[in-house]
mmCIF file of all heavy atoms in Angstrom:
data_model
loop_
_atom_site.group_PDB
_atom_site.id
_atom_site.type_symbol
_atom_site.label_atom_id
_atom_site.label_comp_id
_atom_site.label_asym_id
_atom_site.label_seq_id
_atom_site.Cartn_x
_atom_site.Cartn_y
_atom_site.Cartn_z
ATOM 1 N N ASP B 340 -3.218 -14.905 44.992
ATOM 2 C CA ASP B 340 -3.419 -13.683 45.803
ATOM 3 C C ASP B 340 -2.507 -12.554 45.441
ATOM 4 O O ASP B 340 -2.201 -11.680 46.255
ATOM 5 C CB ASP B 340 -3.167 -14.018 47.318
ATOM 6 C CG ASP B 340 -4.041 -15.177 47.776
ATOM 7 O OD1 ASP B 340 -5.273 -15.104 47.532
ATOM 8 O OD2 ASP B 340 -3.509 -16.139 48.335
ATOM 9 N N PHE B 341 -2.052 -12.551 44.218
ATOM 10 C CA PHE B 341 -1.059 -11.555 43.777
ATOM 11 C C PHE B 341 -1.610 -10.121 43.777
ATOM 12 O O PHE B 341 -2.616 -9.818 43.149
ATOM 13 C CB PHE B 341 -0.580 -11.970 42.401
ATOM 14 C CG PHE B 341 0.389 -11.021 41.756
ATOM 15 C CD1 PHE B 341 1.437 -10.433 42.492
ATOM 16 C CD2 PHE B 341 0.295 -10.667 40.400
ATOM 17 C CE1 PHE B 341 2.335 -9.572 41.884
ATOM 18 C CE2 PHE B 341 1.175 -9.794 39.807
ATOM 19 C CZ PHE B 341 2.186 -9.251 40.545
ATOM 20 N N GLN B 342 -0.892 -9.244 44.523
ATOM 21 C CA GLN B 342 -1.164 -7.813 44.475
ATOM 22 C C GLN B 342 0.046 -7.133 43.934
ATOM 23 O O GLN B 342 1.034 -6.975 44.661
ATOM 24 C CB GLN B 342 -1.444 -7.337 45.950
ATOM 25 C CG GLN B 342 -2.537 -8.045 46.733
ATOM 26 C CD GLN B 342 -3.916 -7.626 46.275
ATOM 27 O OE1 GLN B 342 -4.041 -6.643 45.562
ATOM 28 N NE2 GLN B 342 -4.926 -8.379 46.692
ATOM 29 N N PRO B 343 0.020 -6.675 42.712
ATOM 30 C CA PRO B 343 1.211 -6.151 42.076
ATOM 31 C C PRO B 343 1.641 -4.797 42.782
ATOM 32 O O PRO B 343 0.784 -3.992 43.157
ATOM 33 C CB PRO B 343 0.779 -5.872 40.654
ATOM 34 C CG PRO B 343 -0.669 -5.641 40.718
ATOM 35 C CD PRO B 343 -1.194 -6.573 41.829
ATOM 36 N N LYS B 344 2.944 -4.631 42.948
ATOM 37 C CA LYS B 344 3.504 -3.413 43.516
ATOM 38 C C LYS B 344 4.538 -2.862 42.552
ATOM 39 O O LYS B 344 5.594 -3.414 42.383
ATOM 40 C CB LYS B 344 4.073 -3.663 44.915
ATOM 41 C CG LYS B 344 3.017 -3.786 45.988
ATOM 42 C CD LYS B 344 3.630 -4.343 47.285
ATOM 43 C CE LYS B 344 2.625 -5.217 48.043
ATOM 44 N NZ LYS B 344 2.495 -6.594 47.418
ATOM 45 N N VAL B 345 4.222 -1.697 41.968
ATOM 46 C CA VAL B 345 5.136 -1.101 41.013
ATOM 47 C C VAL B 345 6.243 -0.379 41.739
ATOM 48 O O VAL B 345 5.936 0.499 42.601
ATOM 49 C CB VAL B 345 4.372 -0.137 40.067
ATOM 50 C CG1 VAL B 345 5.367 0.500 39.084
ATOM 51 C CG2 VAL B 345 3.259 -0.850 39.308
ATOM 52 N N PRO B 346 7.544 -0.676 41.502
ATOM 53 C CA PRO B 346 8.606 0.078 42.184
ATOM 54 C C PRO B 346 8.502 1.583 41.847
ATOM 55 O O PRO B 346 8.124 1.922 40.698
ATOM 56 C CB PRO B 346 9.853 -0.496 41.547
ATOM 57 C CG PRO B 346 9.451 -1.843 40.959
ATOM 58 C CD PRO B 346 8.003 -1.673 40.580
ATOM 59 N N GLN B 347 8.787 2.386 42.836
ATOM 60 C CA GLN B 347 8.652 3.843 42.742
ATOM 61 C C GLN B 347 9.199 4.371 41.429
ATOM 62 O O GLN B 347 8.555 5.122 40.683
ATOM 63 C CB GLN B 347 9.404 4.455 43.951
ATOM 64 C CG GLN B 347 9.419 5.977 43.930
ATOM 65 C CD GLN B 347 8.076 6.550 44.213
ATOM 66 O OE1 GLN B 347 7.224 5.938 44.896
ATOM 67 N NE2 GLN B 347 7.809 7.750 43.691
ATOM 68 N N GLU B 348 10.422 3.928 41.137
ATOM 69 C CA GLU B 348 11.106 4.456 39.921
ATOM 70 C C GLU B 348 10.299 4.181 38.641
ATOM 71 O O GLU B 348 10.408 4.941 37.668
ATOM 72 C CB GLU B 348 12.493 3.805 39.827
ATOM 73 C CG GLU B 348 13.294 4.322 38.685
ATOM 74 C CD GLU B 348 14.589 3.512 38.442
ATOM 75 O OE1 GLU B 348 14.862 2.569 39.217
ATOM 76 O OE2 GLU B 348 15.264 3.808 37.468
ATOM 77 N N PHE B 349 9.552 3.106 38.627
ATOM 78 C CA PHE B 349 8.832 2.708 37.401
ATOM 79 C C PHE B 349 7.399 3.164 37.343
ATOM 80 O O PHE B 349 6.695 2.833 36.432
ATOM 81 C CB PHE B 349 8.957 1.213 37.194
ATOM 82 C CG PHE B 349 10.344 0.779 36.764
ATOM 83 C CD1 PHE B 349 11.384 0.535 37.633
ATOM 84 C CD2 PHE B 349 10.624 0.774 35.378
ATOM 85 C CE1 PHE B 349 12.624 0.222 37.197
ATOM 86 C CE2 PHE B 349 11.890 0.457 34.927
ATOM 87 C CZ PHE B 349 12.905 0.183 35.826
ATOM 88 N N THR B 350 7.007 3.970 38.340
ATOM 89 C CA THR B 350 5.640 4.579 38.231
ATOM 90 C C THR B 350 5.598 5.680 37.213
ATOM 91 O O THR B 350 4.538 6.207 36.922
ATOM 92 C CB THR B 350 5.225 5.112 39.653
ATOM 93 O OG1 THR B 350 6.127 6.136 40.029
ATOM 94 C CG2 THR B 350 5.159 4.013 40.711
ATOM 95 N N THR B 351 6.786 6.039 36.700
ATOM 96 C CA THR B 351 6.840 7.054 35.633
ATOM 97 C C THR B 351 7.394 6.400 34.358
ATOM 98 O O THR B 351 8.035 7.092 33.555
ATOM 99 C CB THR B 351 7.761 8.213 36.018
ATOM 100 O OG1 THR B 351 9.042 7.647 36.362
ATOM 101 C CG2 THR B 351 7.220 8.932 37.255
ATOM 102 N N SER B 352 7.072 5.139 34.117
ATOM 103 C CA SER B 352 7.615 4.429 32.955
ATOM 104 C C SER B 352 7.052 5.085 31.673
ATOM 105 O O SER B 352 5.971 5.568 31.594
ATOM 106 C CB SER B 352 7.200 2.946 32.995
ATOM 107 O OG SER B 352 7.939 2.301 34.016
ATOM 108 N N ASP B 353 7.904 5.040 30.637
ATOM 109 C CA ASP B 353 7.492 5.541 29.330
ATOM 110 C C ASP B 353 6.482 4.606 28.659
ATOM 111 O O ASP B 353 5.531 5.049 28.068
ATOM 112 C CB ASP B 353 8.727 5.699 28.456
ATOM 113 C CG ASP B 353 9.717 6.625 29.067
ATOM 114 O OD1 ASP B 353 9.564 7.877 28.907
ATOM 115 O OD2 ASP B 353 10.657 6.157 29.762
ATOM 116 N N VAL B 354 6.741 3.320 28.804
ATOM 117 C CA VAL B 354 5.888 2.291 28.159
ATOM 118 C C VAL B 354 5.523 1.292 29.246
ATOM 119 O O VAL B 354 6.410 0.895 30.023
ATOM 120 C CB VAL B 354 6.534 1.662 26.960
ATOM 121 C CG1 VAL B 354 5.735 0.524 26.386
ATOM 122 C CG2 VAL B 354 6.840 2.700 25.877
ATOM 123 N N VAL B 355 4.259 0.864 29.249
ATOM 124 C CA VAL B 355 3.826 -0.204 30.147
ATOM 125 C C VAL B 355 3.333 -1.359 29.274
ATOM 126 O O VAL B 355 2.467 -1.135 28.377
ATOM 127 C CB VAL B 355 2.705 0.259 31.094
ATOM 128 C CG1 VAL B 355 2.225 -0.880 31.978
ATOM 129 C CG2 VAL B 355 3.209 1.438 31.961
ATOM 130 N N LEU B 356 3.854 -2.504 29.518
ATOM 131 C CA LEU B 356 3.362 -3.734 28.851
ATOM 132 C C LEU B 356 2.655 -4.652 29.893
ATOM 133 O O LEU B 356 3.293 -5.215 30.719
ATOM 134 C CB LEU B 356 4.487 -4.464 28.145
ATOM 135 C CG LEU B 356 4.197 -5.794 27.495
ATOM 136 C CD1 LEU B 356 2.854 -5.799 26.737
ATOM 137 C CD2 LEU B 356 5.295 -6.209 26.526
ATOM 138 N N LEU B 357 1.334 -4.686 29.709
ATOM 139 C CA LEU B 357 0.506 -5.520 30.672
ATOM 140 C C LEU B 357 0.414 -6.906 30.039
ATOM 141 O O LEU B 357 -0.371 -7.169 29.172
ATOM 142 C CB LEU B 357 -0.865 -4.912 30.827
ATOM 143 C CG LEU B 357 -0.900 -3.467 31.359
ATOM 144 C CD1 LEU B 357 -2.323 -2.931 31.274
ATOM 145 C CD2 LEU B 357 -0.376 -3.400 32.776
ATOM 146 N N GLY B 358 1.299 -7.823 30.454
ATOM 147 C CA GLY B 358 1.254 -9.154 29.958
ATOM 148 C C GLY B 358 0.014 -9.930 30.439
ATOM 149 O O GLY B 358 -0.711 -9.440 31.314
ATOM 150 N N ASN B 359 -0.224 -11.048 29.829
ATOM 151 C CA ASN B 359 -1.403 -11.833 30.088
ATOM 152 C C ASN B 359 -1.540 -12.248 31.566
ATOM 153 O O ASN B 359 -0.802 -13.043 32.083
ATOM 154 C CB ASN B 359 -1.389 -13.083 29.218
ATOM 155 C CG ASN B 359 -2.537 -13.986 29.479
ATOM 156 O OD1 ASN B 359 -3.693 -13.530 29.744
ATOM 157 N ND2 ASN B 359 -2.304 -15.302 29.457
ATOM 158 N N LEU B 360 -2.566 -11.636 32.242
ATOM 159 C CA LEU B 360 -2.820 -11.858 33.658
ATOM 160 C C LEU B 360 -4.282 -11.467 33.903
ATOM 161 O O LEU B 360 -4.946 -10.936 32.997
ATOM 162 C CB LEU B 360 -1.968 -10.904 34.487
ATOM 163 C CG LEU B 360 -0.635 -11.405 35.063
ATOM 164 C CD1 LEU B 360 0.037 -10.298 35.808
ATOM 165 C CD2 LEU B 360 -0.872 -12.557 36.035
ATOM 166 N N HIS B 361 -4.757 -11.703 35.122
ATOM 167 C CA HIS B 361 -6.121 -11.270 35.432
ATOM 168 C C HIS B 361 -6.256 -9.744 35.144
ATOM 169 O O HIS B 361 -5.392 -8.960 35.545
ATOM 170 C CB HIS B 361 -6.436 -11.564 36.910
ATOM 171 C CG HIS B 361 -7.911 -11.423 37.191
ATOM 172 N ND1 HIS B 361 -8.657 -10.245 37.108
ATOM 173 C CD2 HIS B 361 -8.782 -12.391 37.556
ATOM 174 C CE1 HIS B 361 -9.900 -10.505 37.403
ATOM 175 N NE2 HIS B 361 -10.055 -11.781 37.675
ATOM 176 N N PRO B 362 -7.326 -9.354 34.478
ATOM 177 C CA PRO B 362 -7.516 -7.909 34.129
ATOM 178 C C PRO B 362 -7.470 -6.993 35.359
ATOM 179 O O PRO B 362 -7.114 -5.811 35.211
ATOM 180 C CB PRO B 362 -8.846 -7.862 33.418
ATOM 181 C CG PRO B 362 -9.321 -9.228 33.259
ATOM 182 C CD PRO B 362 -8.347 -10.173 33.898
ATOM 183 N N LEU B 363 -7.922 -7.442 36.525
ATOM 184 C CA LEU B 363 -7.820 -6.608 37.708
ATOM 185 C C LEU B 363 -6.414 -6.346 38.136
ATOM 186 O O LEU B 363 -6.112 -5.256 38.636
ATOM 187 C CB LEU B 363 -8.589 -7.271 38.891
ATOM 188 C CG LEU B 363 -10.124 -7.291 38.737
ATOM 189 C CD1 LEU B 363 -10.749 -7.993 39.978
ATOM 190 C CD2 LEU B 363 -10.683 -5.886 38.565
ATOM 191 N N VAL B 364 -5.525 -7.316 37.934
ATOM 192 C CA VAL B 364 -4.095 -7.101 38.223
ATOM 193 C C VAL B 364 -3.536 -6.061 37.235
ATOM 194 O O VAL B 364 -2.800 -5.146 37.587
ATOM 195 C CB VAL B 364 -3.321 -8.416 38.122
ATOM 196 C CG1 VAL B 364 -1.805 -8.182 38.274
ATOM 197 C CG2 VAL B 364 -3.787 -9.366 39.229
ATOM 198 N N GLN B 365 -3.948 -6.226 35.997
ATOM 199 C CA GLN B 365 -3.481 -5.256 34.911
ATOM 200 C C GLN B 365 -3.949 -3.840 35.289
ATOM 201 O O GLN B 365 -3.213 -2.887 35.218
ATOM 202 C CB GLN B 365 -4.003 -5.705 33.559
ATOM 203 C CG GLN B 365 -3.435 -7.063 33.092
ATOM 204 C CD GLN B 365 -3.997 -7.507 31.753
ATOM 205 O OE1 GLN B 365 -5.198 -7.420 31.500
ATOM 206 N NE2 GLN B 365 -3.134 -8.069 30.928
ATOM 207 N N SER B 366 -5.240 -3.734 35.718
ATOM 208 C CA SER B 366 -5.781 -2.370 36.059
ATOM 209 C C SER B 366 -5.028 -1.808 37.292
ATOM 210 O O SER B 366 -4.733 -0.629 37.335
ATOM 211 C CB SER B 366 -7.250 -2.520 36.429
ATOM 212 O OG SER B 366 -8.030 -2.541 35.256
ATOM 213 N N SER B 367 -4.730 -2.677 38.250
ATOM 214 C CA SER B 367 -4.102 -2.197 39.465
ATOM 215 C C SER B 367 -2.741 -1.560 39.172
ATOM 216 O O SER B 367 -2.306 -0.582 39.781
ATOM 217 C CB SER B 367 -3.970 -3.367 40.448
ATOM 218 O OG SER B 367 -2.941 -3.111 41.375
ATOM 219 N N VAL B 368 -2.046 -2.160 38.182
ATOM 220 C CA VAL B 368 -0.741 -1.618 37.764
ATOM 221 C C VAL B 368 -0.925 -0.198 37.181
ATOM 222 O O VAL B 368 -0.174 0.739 37.505
ATOM 223 C CB VAL B 368 -0.055 -2.528 36.787
ATOM 224 C CG1 VAL B 368 1.176 -1.866 36.118
ATOM 225 C CG2 VAL B 368 0.412 -3.821 37.524
ATOM 226 N N LEU B 369 -1.913 -0.067 36.322
ATOM 227 C CA LEU B 369 -2.151 1.249 35.747
ATOM 228 C C LEU B 369 -2.515 2.309 36.801
ATOM 229 O O LEU B 369 -2.140 3.466 36.708
ATOM 230 C CB LEU B 369 -3.294 1.179 34.682
ATOM 231 C CG LEU B 369 -2.963 0.335 33.422
ATOM 232 C CD1 LEU B 369 -4.103 0.452 32.434
ATOM 233 C CD2 LEU B 369 -1.615 0.748 32.812
ATOM 234 N N ASP B 370 -3.290 1.844 37.851
ATOM 235 C CA ASP B 370 -3.652 2.764 38.927
ATOM 236 C C ASP B 370 -2.461 3.296 39.642
ATOM 237 O O ASP B 370 -2.507 4.391 40.255
ATOM 238 C CB ASP B 370 -4.538 2.023 39.930
ATOM 239 C CG ASP B 370 -5.904 1.649 39.368
ATOM 240 O OD1 ASP B 370 -6.312 2.235 38.353
ATOM 241 O OD2 ASP B 370 -6.526 0.689 39.924
ATOM 242 N N GLN B 371 -1.339 2.579 39.627
ATOM 243 C CA GLN B 371 -0.145 2.945 40.407
ATOM 244 C C GLN B 371 0.776 3.903 39.606
ATOM 245 O O GLN B 371 1.753 4.433 40.135
ATOM 246 C CB GLN B 371 0.612 1.702 40.834
ATOM 247 C CG GLN B 371 -0.170 0.848 41.779
ATOM 248 C CD GLN B 371 0.594 -0.465 42.102
ATOM 249 O OE1 GLN B 371 1.712 -0.471 42.506
ATOM 250 N NE2 GLN B 371 -0.089 -1.600 41.865
ATOM 251 N N MET B 372 0.490 4.116 38.360
ATOM 252 C CA MET B 372 1.314 5.015 37.537
ATOM 253 C C MET B 372 1.060 6.457 37.980
ATOM 254 O O MET B 372 -0.059 6.871 38.078
ATOM 255 C CB MET B 372 1.042 4.834 36.067
ATOM 256 C CG MET B 372 1.175 3.417 35.501
ATOM 257 S SD MET B 372 2.772 2.617 35.902
ATOM 258 C CE MET B 372 3.869 3.584 34.878
ATOM 259 N N THR B 373 2.135 7.180 38.244
ATOM 260 C CA THR B 373 1.982 8.547 38.692
ATOM 261 C C THR B 373 2.119 9.544 37.560
ATOM 262 O O THR B 373 1.901 10.729 37.759
ATOM 263 C CB THR B 373 3.100 8.871 39.756
ATOM 264 O OG1 THR B 373 4.378 8.636 39.143
ATOM 265 C CG2 THR B 373 2.916 8.048 41.005
ATOM 266 N N GLN B 374 2.394 9.013 36.405
ATOM 267 C CA GLN B 374 2.564 9.853 35.209
ATOM 268 C C GLN B 374 2.022 9.065 34.040
ATOM 269 O O GLN B 374 2.275 7.864 33.934
ATOM 270 C CB GLN B 374 4.068 10.166 35.040
ATOM 271 C CG GLN B 374 4.395 11.173 33.946
ATOM 272 C CD GLN B 374 5.921 11.346 33.881
ATOM 273 O OE1 GLN B 374 6.526 11.763 34.801
ATOM 274 N NE2 GLN B 374 6.478 10.959 32.787
ATOM 275 N N LYS B 375 1.297 9.736 33.174
ATOM 276 C CA LYS B 375 0.662 9.009 32.046
ATOM 277 C C LYS B 375 1.765 8.422 31.108
ATOM 278 O O LYS B 375 2.571 9.186 30.592
ATOM 279 C CB LYS B 375 -0.215 9.981 31.283
ATOM 280 C CG LYS B 375 -1.092 9.325 30.176
ATOM 281 C CD LYS B 375 -1.991 10.346 29.548
ATOM 282 C CE LYS B 375 -2.466 9.905 28.171
ATOM 283 N NZ LYS B 375 -3.173 8.611 28.179
#
Side-chain angles (χ1 to χ4, degrees):
Chain B
D340 304 309
F341 176 43
Q342 304 283 348
K344 284 169 213 75
V345 178
Q347 177 70 27
E348 184 189 356
F349 285 88
T350 60
T351 57
S352 289
D353 301 277
V354 174
V355 177
L356 174 41
L357 303 171
N359 176 38
L360 263 179
H361 194 296
L363 289 180
V364 173
Q365 296 177 317
S366 279
S367 158
V368 167
L369 293 186
D370 293 340
Q371 296 174 54
M372 303 308 291
T373 56
Q374 188 180 297
K375 189 177 158 57

